[in-house]
Amino acid sequence: MNWITKMFSSSLGQKLIMALTGLFLCSFLIIHMVGNLQLFKHDAGLAFNKYAVFMTTNPLIKTTSYLLYAAILFHAFKGIALVFQNKKARPVKYQAFDGKANSHWSSRNMGVLGTIILVFVVVHMSNFWAEYKFGHVPYTRYTENIQTGEIQSDYMPADFTMNSKMEEQSEGLMKVTIVKDLFRSVELGFKELWLVALYIIAMAALSFHLYHGFKSAFQTMGLNHKKYNGAINFIGIGVFAILIPIGFAAMPLYFFIK
Amino acid sequence: MSGNMNINLKVWRQKNGKSQGKLVDYKVEGVSPDMSFLEMFDVLNDRLVSEGKDEPIAFDHDCREGICGMCSMYINGRPHGPNQGVTTCQLHMRSFKDGDTIVVEPWRAAAFPVIKDLAVNRSAFDRIIASGGFISVNTGNAQDANSLPIAKDNADEAFAAAACIGCGACVAACKNSSAMLFVSAKVSQLALLPQGDPERNTRVLNMVAQMDTEGFGACTNTGACSAECPKEISLTNIARLNREYFAAQLGSDRS
Ligand code: SF4
Ligand code: FES
């Protein structure tokens, strides 16, 4: 075995894979969050739809997104494999096991929490990502007055289609944009109670998963240092366990109530 | 005697490594609050021997003063019982109440097979130590102790890591039966000192490889080990073990 395979097949190396892919996914969450904040803009979805076009056509982002899919798969399947491997290390269970006496609940349930998130990712991606990529997302025509900023939106006929995801034209003060309307899919999708419920449950799971996962990743990389632990804890809890899940949960709720 | 307690024990009984075990109920009466947990077992075993119906309960112990690491009981869901920073032999019955039911099980790990009742085989730890938990020293006169300067911080941390008594409570507490805290303490104690430096790469690589071979689980950083460790070995040692390991893999000629 060469040293690389040896390192990554050791228990420490497998954990390093979990840590690195996990932190990569965390960095994606921030970008996803910032981009999706455009859902809250009062522009009938124009900015969000343009952003969706950019994210799916820019070559650098496209390449990164393949890395991201690979990281999701790696993190999920390595994680599941590790859960079973670790279960094998204790073939006879305790009759009395007092886990809460010595560890946090989320640290003992990363596998379950991760599985909830994985189910969510599959539903989420088939709803929006696959729909956008392979399904038929209708187009909308936006007429924007450059001076006043007023935006008028008209749905194109359902069978309307064109070669690109977006076309822009200027006619005097008017800027006309015809674009695939992912915003409308979001709007419609989040009228479904079960979907909104799934999103909220998944975001709760994400919160607990990252509460442990973020700081655990640093420990696995060997970074446990009194000069940095404060910052790691603050970001892990404040940003990843609180802000991000609340922000993402607010999106389906907003459209459900709206 | 006034103040004495009656305790309901549920103890894991298992004839040998191959047979099935089960929890058996015992009532121990007149337990003094000043007895240690092991002394209560002595009282019970005395009774079992004199009654002649049941074999005495096998359990590990040696120094009975918290320094050898031999005692190993998993008490009410926690290794070494409810108190922090103590071994089973240093746990006293005053930590329990009259009429309490106490479940006592052996350490549970594939790498720690049950020998009999509450006694498990912890030779896996010995094999990990043999794989690298030592320094090689030339024979001859010992050099002057003061000729090797060691930073006070490092000396203190090495000493704290060296407090590990190899009891295995970390493995017993961990939901993954991981031996990381033990191995990290042993690696740290030597990595922090100049005497440990020449063999630091081979040491960490060999000890981790042996740990994995023995069938301990992977560390998921729950922290249960450190919370239950009778010597309160810190989780920073596990981070150091990770650093030492990856540095040796990525930065040395060995693998
Ligand atoms: S690290 Fe603590 S719990 Fe583990 S073997 Fe050493 S003394 Fe026992
Ligand atoms: S018997 Fe030696 S530490 Fe408990």
Side-chain angles (χ1 to χ4, degrees):
Chain A
M1 238 193 310
N2 80 15
W3 67 272
I4 298 183
T5 37
K6 204 167 163 189
M7 176 172 84
F8 283 117
S9 53
S10 73
S11 61
L12 278 68
Q14 297 187 56
K15 295 297 303 174
L16 185 66
I17 295 178
M18 294 305 288
L20 294 176
T21 51
L23 287 179
F24 179 54
L25 297 179
C26 281
S27 71
F28 159 73
L29 284 180
I30 295 197
I31 298 179
H32 196 36
M33 170 99 262
V34 171
N36 283 17
L37 284 179
Q38 297 175 95
L39 282 169
F40 295 123
K41 262 188 152 179
H42 290 286
D43 64 351
L46 177 59
F48 178 77
N49 285 334
K50 280 187 175 171
Y51 165 74
V53 173
F54 172 73
M55 292 303 273
T56 48
T57 47
N58 181 297
L60 191 70
I61 291 179
K62 267 174 91 171
T63 322
T64 317
S65 64
Y66 289 116
L67 268 181
L68 178 74
Y69 308 145
I72 294 176
L73 292 176
F74 241 93
H75 191 81
F77 289 107
K78 184 92 263 176
I80 291 168
L82 274 167
V83 167
F84 284 105
Q85 197 177 309
N86 285 341
K87 279 203 190 307
K88 256 195 10 220
R90 176 163 296 148
V92 183
K93 302 274 161 282
Y94 288 113
Q95 311 271 320
F97 177 77
D98 191 1
K100 65 180 181 316
N102 50 38
S103 55
H104 194 274
W105 180 83
S106 56
S107 76
R108 299 192 309 276
N109 289 283
M110 292 298 275
V112 177
L113 293 166
T115 307
I116 297 175
I117 298 167
L118 182 64
V119 169
F120 162 78
V121 169
V122 170
V123 173
H124 179 59
M125 284 188 70
S126 56
N127 265 353
F128 296 121
W129 175 83
E131 205 37 45
Y132 194 69
K133 212 168 158 132
F134 310 114
H136 180 72
V137 174
Y139 285 82
T140 289
R141 172 203 181 95
Y142 294 92
T143 321
E144 195 180 354
N145 185 320
I146 303 174
Q147 235 162 27
T148 61
E150 226 173 282
I151 295 172
Q152 198 203 323
S153 69
D154 306 287
Y155 292 163
M156 301 297 281
D159 55 358
F160 174 86
T161 179
M162 57 189 199
N163 282 333
S164 61
K165 288 172 181 152
M166 175 167 82
E167 251 155 49
E168 287 176 304
Q169 254 173 31
S170 285
E171 297 162 15
L173 278 183
M174 294 301 179
K175 191 169 167 195
V176 177
T177 312
I178 301 177
V179 60
K180 266 195 171 186
D181 195 357
L182 185 63
F183 182 83
R184 205 192 315 171
S185 315
V186 173
E187 233 175 5
L188 287 175
F190 288 153
K191 290 287 173 214
E192 303 271 356
L193 180 63
W194 73 269
L195 196 65
V196 176
L198 172 71
Y199 272 61
I200 290 171
I201 292 168
M203 288 312 110
L206 182 70
S207 167
F208 285 107
H209 196 73
L210 295 185
Y211 174 83
H212 175 71
F214 188 76
K215 63 171 184 279
S216 173
F218 287 91
Q219 167 83 356
T220 297
M221 296 189 303
L223 232 156
N224 178 335
H225 194 288
K226 51 180 178 243
K227 282 189 181 160
Y228 305 111
N229 285 353
I232 292 172
N233 268 329
F234 180 80
I235 297 173
I237 296 173
V239 176
F240 286 102
I242 298 176
L243 267 186
I244 295 252
I246 288 184
F248 279 128
M251 290 164 190
L253 265 182
Y254 169 78
F255 286 104
F256 187 70
I257 294 165
K258 192 171 106 164
Chain B
M1 240 195 296
S2 72
N4 281 2
M5 310 185 283
N6 297 331
I7 298 288
N8 302 304
L9 283 180
K10 286 179 179 296
V11 181
W12 186 263
R13 301 297 317 255
Q14 182 173 341
K15 265 204 143 34
N16 54 49
K18 286 185 194 71
S19 60
Q20 283 269 321
K22 62 171 193 300
L23 286 177
V24 177
D25 291 331
Y26 296 97
K27 213 175 161 75
V28 194
E29 279 160 358
V31 175
S32 154
D34 297 329
M35 273 182 191
S36 77
F37 203 78
L38 296 185
E39 282 164 344
M40 175 191 58
F41 267 78
D42 293 337
V43 168
L44 172 60
N45 270 348
D46 263 353
R47 194 186 87 202
L48 293 180
V49 170
S50 60
E51 283 173 356
K53 281 184 284 193
D54 213 346
E55 274 185 54
I57 301 164
F59 63 91
D60 274 324
H61 62 105
D62 188 9
C63 70
R64 296 211 177 190
E65 51 189 15
I67 54 171
C68 75
M70 204 54 200
C71 55
S72 52
M73 289 185 185
Y74 193 85
I75 301 158
N76 277 346
R78 301 178 66 183
H80 295 307
N83 295 353
Q84 211 137 46
V86 290
T87 53
T88 303
C89 59
Q90 295 296 299
L91 172 68
H92 291 87
M93 295 314 294
R94 54 180 166 269
S95 301
F96 298 91
K97 291 194 307 290
D98 185 30
D100 270 2
T101 298
I102 307 175
V103 183
V104 187
E105 297 171 79
W107 287 175
R108 295 286 187 207
F112 286 167
V114 171
I115 300 169
K116 186 180 176 158
D117 300 332
L118 301 172
V120 299
N121 184 343
R122 284 168 282 179
S123 314
F125 271 11
D126 299 339
R127 289 188 291 271
I128 293 175
I129 294 294
S131 74
F134 52 81
I135 55 165
S136 306
V137 187
N138 290 332
T139 52
N141 281 346
Q143 61 176 327
D144 180 52
N146 293 324
S147 66
L148 272 180
I150 300 171
K152 175 82 165 80
D153 290 351
N154 285 358
D156 288 349
E157 243 178 285
F159 195 82
C164 165
I165 52 178
C167 63
C170 42
V171 174
C174 175
K175 76 173 182 61
N176 311 318
S177 299
S178 168
M180 283 288 273
L181 194 66
F182 166 75
V183 176
S184 75
K186 300 305 175 192
V187 164
S188 289
Q189 118 192 20
L190 298 173
L192 286 160
L193 300 176
Q195 292 91 336
D197 192 53
E199 289 154 309
R200 75 181 320 135
N201 291 327
T202 43
R203 174 181 309 115
V204 69
L205 293 171
N206 291 344
M207 289 178 82
V208 167
Q210 190 62 37
M211 171 181 88
D212 287 350
T213 308
E214 296 292 348
F216 293 104
C219 174
T220 55
N221 304 323
T222 68
C225 52
S226 180
E228 298 292 8
C229 170
K231 298 299 154 185
E232 303 181 309
I233 299 292
S234 154
L235 290 177
T236 53
N237 290 302
I238 294 186
R240 184 179 296 104
L241 171 62
N242 289 326
R243 282 201 298 279
E244 288 284 321
Y245 179 75
F246 294 124
Q249 281 287 15
L250 298 166
S252 82
D253 289 345
R254 307 195 175 258
S255 68

